[in-house]
Amino acid sequence: ASTLVVGEHEDGVLKPSTLSAVAAATALGDGCSVSVLLGGFGPSVHKAASQAASAHSAVSQVLVADWDKVEHGLAEPWAELLRLAQEKGKYSHVLAVSSSFGKNIVPRAAALLEQSVISDVIKVIDEHTFVRPVYAGNALSSVKYTGSGPCFITIRPTAFPAVQASEMTPAPVSTLDTSTIKSEAIGRSEWVGQHVERSERPELGNARVVVSGGRALKSAENFKMLEALADKLGGAVGASRAAVDAGYVPNDMQVGQTGKIVAPDLYIAVGISGAIQHLAGMKDSKVIVAINKDADSPIFQVADYGLAADLFQAVPELIEKLPDKSQVSA
Amino acid sequence: MKILVAVKRVIDYAVKIRVKPDKTGVEMNNVKMSMNPFCEIALEEALRIKEAGKASEVVVVSMGGPQCVETLRTGLAMGADSAIHVSTDTPLYPLAVAKLLCAVASREQPQILLLGKQAIDDDANQTGQMVAGLLQWPQATFASKVALGDKSDVTVEREVDGGLETLRLQLPAVITTDLRLNEPRYATLPNIMKAKKKKISSITPEELKVDIQPDFMILEVVEPAKRKGGVMVSSVDELVDKLKNEAHVI
């Protein structure tokens, strides 16, 4: 197999999820070659490319598209870029992370090549057989690709631990000539702006610890308590849909079927009832703790440790009694 | 201007699904079915645009067997003007749906094609993106705000991993809806009655000249591994102790 991995980067640094994508690509079979495609504009994409070139011995090539049109992840130019890369490289597989970027561009690119996409893959059985969750993760579907290729897949990064860098000769980095790309769709979309939440805390998608709050927190102000708890544990803060809908926290904190999927070592659900849709986003966490006043909440059915208590008493007490982060072994 | 909204009939979001013991799929007999929640949001947005005077017609389309007609009737009851049923008993997956939608859109010539971002059964989140590629129209997925401009354009705020992003698209365009875009209306009884008089036309994939054979097959559907049962703790002290000495996560 030869796989084109669509990489992601920010501020010149490769995203950890791209390393999960490389791990998934290596799972396709022995002797699979992995080419990483990075698109962007200016020095930052080249910086990310040299990082990718040394990311793992499985990476045999890095392709760079330094093109203003792909700077902000617009799907129309990105889909054409993938089409161009595929035409040149004739890969058997095209693989991306099922991030909001991957979900946005990969199906469009696949449709241009009249291919299906097998999305949100959590397990590779062989190079054409994959397992993916359906019905909010309440069922697992094994799917076999029977087309003539390329096989498009997106992967859930929590299911594929990132490859670790090893000693290697950096892979060659080459640039893709995007000047021949023409499409009536390019130029009909314009990136106007973004509102990105910046935090000192670890990213929700790959934090080792996540503390999540539900509507029972009652206000944005009360989420500060969860932030303090997360900080004590060196973790990230998440939320249920209800908390986001109520305006307590921004949308990028939503954990669930249609929000972020997380699988940390420790997930603490505070004031969250445990609706099917929320569980879909966190039930693969290694250890789940639930704190909720109502002992009948469905969350207690997935929790390893459940505390039926008033969160406004329990959380401050927990913050006080937890060992300091500095005393914790990694 | 015409808006085309694609809707899907799925197992109701509140139902606890059961995987069939023969592993061929999920139990669907005697199970409550509903319009996919994201599709409801898409239709609601189309209706609001029409009510604001910026669209003249809202057409709903759904594909599949005869039960689709129920879902289309719900759409008409919510306020759509007419409906199209693409009739087939072959199981449909996103690429086939996108090809069919592309053919329908080429006939109907809407300025906006609205879809839910994902169906809650397959959780695929692909169809809108695919049909946009096939139509060569610009796309804005996971929309949390939609505002039509006066230059045949639409400004869409999207929910993305890092927060929110704003795009401006030239019409015609494809938009897929996210949860917080709006809260859909319930069909009122008078509207349900009125809907009985509205037109549902039917067409087949053959008539649309679309090949719907899939390029993959579903081998089996199973339940995920169950988590080991947990315990209730009676105090924060006990919780901290277990997390430290039993689970070793702190």
Side-chain angles (χ1 to χ4, degrees):
Chain A
S2 60
T3 305
L4 179 69
V5 167
V6 186
E8 291 185 59
H9 57 100
E10 193 172 14
D11 300 329
V13 178
L14 210 58
K15 286 198 176 173
S17 55
T18 298
L19 299 174
S20 287
V22 172
T26 60
L28 290 171
D30 293 328
C32 283
S33 73
V34 177
S35 304
V36 178
L37 169 66
L38 292 169
F41 189 48
S44 63
V45 65
H46 296 278
K47 190 155 173 261
S50 43
Q51 189 190 345
S54 299
H56 192 265
S57 50
V59 175
S60 57
Q61 184 189 33
V62 177
L63 301 170
V64 174
D66 186 344
W67 185 27
D68 61 337
K69 300 252 184 297
V70 292
E71 186 183 4
H72 295 295
L74 288 177
E76 300 79 14
W78 264 102
E80 293 294 343
L81 175 58
L82 287 192
R83 179 171 29 192
L84 177 75
Q86 175 59 24
E87 264 163 26
K88 290 198 152 49
K90 300 203 182 350
Y91 305 96
S92 61
H93 294 74
V94 178
L95 190 157
V97 170
S98 66
S99 58
S100 55
F101 167 74
K103 286 190 268 210
N104 189 33
I105 69 159
V106 169
R108 187 183 178 112
L112 294 182
L113 295 170
E114 264 212 66
Q115 297 295 323
S116 287
V117 180
I118 299 163
S119 56
D120 219 21
V121 165
I122 58 170
K123 191 168 176 194
V124 173
I125 309 275
D126 66 42
E127 61 172 347
H128 288 137
T129 314
F130 310 97
V131 179
R132 60 181 301 273
V134 291
Y135 288 99
N138 286 300
L140 298 179
S141 178
S142 294
V143 177
K144 187 179 166 87
Y145 174 72
T146 54
S148 52
C151 177
F152 279 82
I153 59 176
T154 65
I155 60 115
R156 206 181 251 202
T158 49
F160 295 94
V163 288
Q164 299 300 323
S166 46
E167 274 296 312
M168 61 176 283
T169 324
V173 177
S174 53
T175 49
L176 267 178
D177 175 11
T178 55
S179 61
T180 55
I181 295 180
K182 272 193 213 338
S183 154
E184 54 181 281
I186 300 177
R188 284 175 55 202
S189 66
E190 185 194 337
W191 185 84
V192 174
Q194 68 185 10
H195 181 82
V196 165
E197 307 289 338
R198 290 234 183 268
S199 166
E200 293 294 302
R201 289 186 194 95
E203 232 195 87
L204 198 47
N206 42 35
R208 195 190 75 84
V209 177
V210 173
V211 176
S212 260
R215 204 211 304 266
L217 269 294
K218 296 208 186 95
S219 73
E221 188 63 30
N222 288 336
F223 260 83
K224 287 201 169 61
M225 191 174 52
L226 299 192
E227 289 171 11
L229 176 54
D231 287 339
K232 195 96 194 263
L233 293 162
V237 183
S240 69
R241 173 194 172 176
V244 178
D245 282 357
Y248 304 157
V249 284
N251 65 286
D252 64 313
M253 284 168 61
Q254 182 173 324
V255 170
Q257 178 185 18
T258 68
K260 295 211 166 50
I261 310 284
V262 302
D265 288 349
L266 174 59
Y267 189 90
I268 305 181
V270 181
I272 289 178
S273 65
I276 299 169
Q277 293 79 13
H278 185 78
L279 299 187
M282 43 65 77
K283 63 191 176 75
D284 291 333
S285 307
K286 295 201 184 47
V287 176
I288 297 174
V289 170
I291 300 174
N292 194 306
K293 212 162 35 171
D294 180 6
D296 290 326
S297 299
I299 191 82
F300 289 118
Q301 285 163 35
V302 298
D304 298 292
Y305 304 110
L307 178 60
D310 181 345
L311 68 98
F312 292 103
Q313 314 278 18
V315 173
E317 194 186 340
L318 185 55
I319 294 172
E320 197 200 329
K321 291 183 173 168
L322 277 170
D324 271 327
K325 189 161 42 114
S326 52
Q327 298 169 347
V328 168
S329 52
Chain B
M1 121 160 117
K2 185 190 293 189
I3 303 180
L4 181 63
V5 184
V7 298
K8 186 180 185 187
R9 185 170 182 270
V10 296
I11 294 181
D12 187 83
Y13 80 95
V15 166
K16 191 154 182 199
I17 58 120
R18 280 191 322 118
V19 176
K20 288 197 277 199
D22 65 4
K23 300 189 190 173
T24 57
V26 155
E27 188 57 70
M28 308 263 277
N29 282 332
N30 294 321
V31 162
K32 181 176 182 203
M33 306 294 284
S34 300
M35 188 185 292
N36 182 44
F38 292 94
C39 301
E40 281 185 330
I41 292 171
L43 177 51
E44 174 64 32
E45 197 62 21
L47 295 170
R48 290 185 188 194
I49 294 172
K50 182 180 166 199
E51 282 156 7
K54 299 196 172 171
S56 51
E57 199 186 341
V58 174
V59 179
V60 272
V61 56
S62 196
M63 353 224 154
Q67 309 93 325
C68 283
V69 173
E70 248 175 69
T71 312
L72 290 170
R73 287 256 168 252
T74 304
L76 293 170
M78 279 172 70
D81 297 292
S82 63
I84 300 170
H85 174 207
V86 178
S87 176
T88 175
D89 289 315
T90 306
L92 293 174
Y93 301 108
L95 181 61
V97 174
K99 289 198 225 173
L100 290 169
L101 266 179
C102 179
V104 170
S106 304
R107 287 175 172 228
E108 292 292 311
Q109 301 275 300
Q111 284 294 288
I112 301 180
L113 172 52
L114 267 162
L115 301 90
K117 81 168 182 185
Q118 76 194 59
I120 60 169
D121 50 12
D122 63 8
D123 284 327
N125 194 329
Q126 300 173 20
T127 306
Q129 295 85 305
M130 288 180 156
V131 66
L134 293 173
L135 285 168
Q136 287 284 335
W137 288 5
Q139 70 187 53
T141 55
F142 332 140
S144 53
K145 276 203 188 78
V146 172
L148 282 172
D150 33 42
K151 295 200 181 89
S152 221
D153 62 317
V154 61
T155 298
V156 181
E157 183 190 75
R158 311 173 53 221
E159 295 202 5
V160 293
D161 286 342
L164 299 168
E165 179 183 89
T166 305
L167 303 182
R168 188 176 302 121
L169 312 180
Q170 291 302 316
L171 301 182
V174 175
I175 299 174
T176 78
T177 65
D178 212 325
L179 284 177
R180 275 169 282 277
L181 176 57
N182 61 50
E183 220 180 288
R185 67 196 63 188
Y186 292 106
T188 62
L189 195 47
N191 282 338
I192 294 173
M193 300 309 295
K194 262 192 252 175
K196 298 195 182 187
K197 297 209 187 86
K198 294 182 185 174
K199 186 170 187 289
I200 300 183
S201 60
S202 187
I203 193 161
T204 62
E206 294 72 30
E207 288 167 303
L208 288 170
K209 296 199 188 1
V210 173
D211 171 18
I212 55 172
Q213 288 313 310
D215 52 359
F216 62 84
M217 47 190 273
I218 298 192
L219 298 176
E220 66 170 20
V221 177
V222 300
E223 267 186 11
K226 286 205 191 328
R227 283 185 79 93
K228 215 166 53 88
V231 296
M232 295 299 282
V233 297
S234 53
S235 68
V236 168
D237 287 311
E238 197 186 340
L239 176 61
V240 174
D241 173 56
K242 290 224 189 275
L243 287 178
K244 191 159 183 240
N245 301 315
E246 194 175 277
H248 307 293
V249 282
I250 60 164

